[in-house]
Amino acid sequence: MAAAFLFLAAWKGIAFRREPTPTLALMTANLTVAGATYVLASPLGYTTTGSAFGQGWFATLPIYVAILMCFGLSQLQTIIWTSTRRDGSHSARTALVGWSAAYALAIVVMTVAFLSADLSGPADPLKFNTEQADEPFVLAFLAVFLTMLTCGTLHTWSRSRRARPDDEGIAHALVWFGRSMVIVFGYVACSAPAIVAAAMGHHQLDSVGVLGSAFGVVGCVGICYAMSGAAVSVWLRERRDILALEPLWDLVVASVDERLAFSGSARPNRVLNVRFSLHRRIIEILDGIRALRPWMTDEAAKALEGLHSEALRDESVRERVGLGERGLSAQELEAAVTAAVLQHAVGRLQDARTQSGDAADATPSPHRAVYTLPGQATAADEERTRLIRVAGALATPLVRISVHGLQGPSADGELPSRADAEAR
């Protein structure tokens, strides 16, 4: 648990340096405190702290304070995420200040009560709540701790359950925040009756109190996932998209001019700095498409659109090109046309290079009108989706058959028309 929390704290810390925001600051602080808490709660950490302060039970104080801080930070983060314009910034700020003051006051009271308590006996971390329940100051310490933990977890669960954020990542995190807080409340449900029974001299429920710690651990795992699950999902999706774009990159960059690539590496890093690698791939592909513009014609577009229309009328053609009864949607047809035009343009460029003997001297015929690709006006934030559709269309039978009928160099570096190709 300590290793997981500290690893995520480092990851979020790096993200915070790149993009300083209140939520990333809270997540980094939360994960760091949680990691330190588990280090302190380990056998070595607990005994070392006890020896350093001359009191075997002393590590319980910083551990319980840190637990309260962790869930308090999670609660503050939830307030920020669930605050809407209708609530107003003043309302959110009041809630943040109020809960922060409540946690600060609780920590002060807990510290005073713990240091005033007369603790005795060998230290057993998991049994502190029941072993020391006969000490009034310990009861006050635990009462404040469990009260704040109850208020914090249930308030966070309530806000998370009612929230309807527009951001998919925040919505994902809030769902898991809510679930985790309900699980953590299981610690209170197990500990409270065990403490009351122990204070009255009955220790039959001590094992139930120990069981409560398991709820705390499971809840912490959920919170850990809540603060990292969406980011991991995005990372995996970006890795997948880099791989999906490779055929298109090979076509319009590697086959056109490798100098368009940001670096000489054949494949981008899909482990570290994945977002940069993905953006780099998209930019390189767009540069490659721009370089191919002089070689684009409407022949491939007309061939594909004609074949698509024919497939809608003829079932045998439809089966040959792998289409359903309804054919392609508008976006799919646009991607297929783009893929066909790009393949045809690369073919024309390579044929011209072969005939000229020098890639630098290959120039298109000035008498040909340049074809404008569909989707040229696509917004920047939608280019990734469009290019992935184009990359996926490259290997489809519809595109392959449409372009195949146009292949073959002519004497002046121009490709023959579809009629000429069929005549051959």
Side-chain angles (χ1 to χ4, degrees):
M1 291 294 294
F5 273 116
L6 292 176
F7 171 78
L8 290 174
W11 182 22
K12 294 296 181 182
I14 294 172
F16 175 74
R17 287 192 60 187
R18 184 172 61 246
E19 184 183 354
T21 62
T23 52
L24 279 175
L26 286 172
M27 279 191 278
T28 304
N30 197 342
L31 292 166
T32 302
V33 173
T37 302
Y38 276 101
V39 170
L40 195 59
S42 66
L44 179 60
Y46 201 91
T47 55
T48 301
T49 304
S51 299
F53 287 88
Q55 169 53 261
W57 294 103
F58 187 84
T60 301
L61 174 61
I63 289 173
Y64 279 37
V65 167
I67 290 172
L68 214 55
M69 289 177 61
C70 286
F71 289 103
L73 290 170
S74 297
Q75 185 180 2
L76 298 181
Q77 187 170 325
T78 304
I79 292 172
I80 293 175
W81 275 344
T82 56
S83 296
T84 62
R85 292 181 179 178
R86 185 177 58 186
D87 298 334
S89 58
H90 177 72
S91 176
R93 188 160 49 247
T94 300
L96 291 172
V97 172
W99 279 105
S100 299
Y103 277 106
L105 179 61
I107 290 172
V108 171
V109 173
M110 286 171 58
T111 302
V112 172
F114 186 91
L115 295 178
S116 301
D118 183 16
L119 305 176
S120 60
D124 187 343
L126 292 179
K127 294 183 179 180
F128 172 82
N129 293 355
T130 52
E131 289 290 332
Q132 303 297 323
D134 56 348
E135 170 61 37
F137 284 108
V138 171
L139 281 177
F141 170 82
L142 293 174
V144 174
F145 173 68
L146 293 180
T147 299
M148 286 304 302
L149 197 58
T150 299
C151 294
T153 53
L154 295 184
H155 179 260
T156 302
W157 167 75
S158 177
R159 289 193 71 114
S160 300
R161 184 174 60 87
R162 291 183 285 107
R164 296 292 183 272
D166 296 329
D167 188 278
E168 182 181 348
I170 291 178
H172 177 87
L174 286 174
V175 168
W176 279 94
F177 264 9
R179 293 173 179 173
S180 302
M181 291 301 173
V182 172
I183 294 173
V184 170
F185 181 71
Y187 170 82
V188 178
C190 291
S191 299
I195 293 169
V196 172
M200 299 173 64
H202 305 291
H203 290 272
Q204 292 87 346
L205 296 180
D206 286 7
S207 58
V208 176
V210 173
L211 177 64
S213 299
F215 285 96
V217 172
V218 174
C220 284
V221 172
I223 292 173
C224 192
Y225 176 75
M227 290 190 283
S228 60
V232 171
S233 298
V234 170
W235 179 77
L236 291 173
R237 189 159 56 246
E238 289 171 346
R239 279 173 46 88
R240 181 198 63 200
D241 289 351
I242 290 174
L243 187 62
L245 287 171
E246 280 192 9
L248 184 57
W249 187 90
D250 289 337
L251 177 70
V252 302
V253 178
S255 299
V256 175
D257 188 351
E258 291 189 351
R259 291 175 298 179
L260 295 171
F262 180 78
S263 68
S265 59
R267 293 292 177 261
N269 191 320
R270 293 199 300 129
V271 177
L272 301 175
N273 213 2
V274 177
R275 180 163 300 177
F276 171 79
S277 297
L278 176 60
H279 289 174
R280 161 189 152 189
R281 270 298 185 251
I282 292 172
I283 292 170
E284 290 169 353
I285 289 171
L286 293 175
D287 286 344
I289 292 174
R290 192 175 297 109
L292 279 171
R293 287 179 64 181
W295 299 94
M296 296 178 189
T297 70
D298 61 355
E299 295 178 48
K302 290 180 178 179
L304 187 138
E305 290 170 348
L307 185 58
H308 181 262
S309 299
E310 185 180 352
L312 294 179
R313 298 189 300 269
D314 190 330
E315 184 177 354
S316 61
V317 177
R318 189 163 61 246
E319 291 178 356
R320 185 163 62 96
V321 296
L323 294 180
E325 291 185 4
R326 297 183 178 181
L328 300 179
S329 66
Q331 287 184 332
E332 291 170 339
L333 182 60
E334 178 186 292
V337 168
T338 302
V341 170
L342 291 176
Q343 282 192 346
H344 184 212
V346 171
R348 295 184 65 230
L349 171 62
Q350 291 176 341
D351 289 341
R353 285 174 175 174
T354 300
Q355 292 183 13
S356 67
D358 187 352
D361 292 338
T363 55
S365 170
H367 306 295
R368 284 286 188 122
V370 176
Y371 176 74
T372 302
L373 275 178
Q376 290 294 309
T378 302
D381 59 346
E382 297 176 2
E383 280 287 13
R384 172 179 168 185
T385 303
R386 180 179 78 95
L387 294 178
I388 288 173
R389 281 199 299 266
V390 174
L394 288 172
T396 59
L398 180 65
V399 173
R400 189 171 61 250
I401 293 172
S402 300
V403 176
H404 180 71
L406 301 171
Q407 289 177 339
S410 62
D412 63 350
E414 292 288 342
L415 288 178
S417 65
R418 183 176 177 83
D420 292 338
E422 290 175 350
R424 285 196 182 93

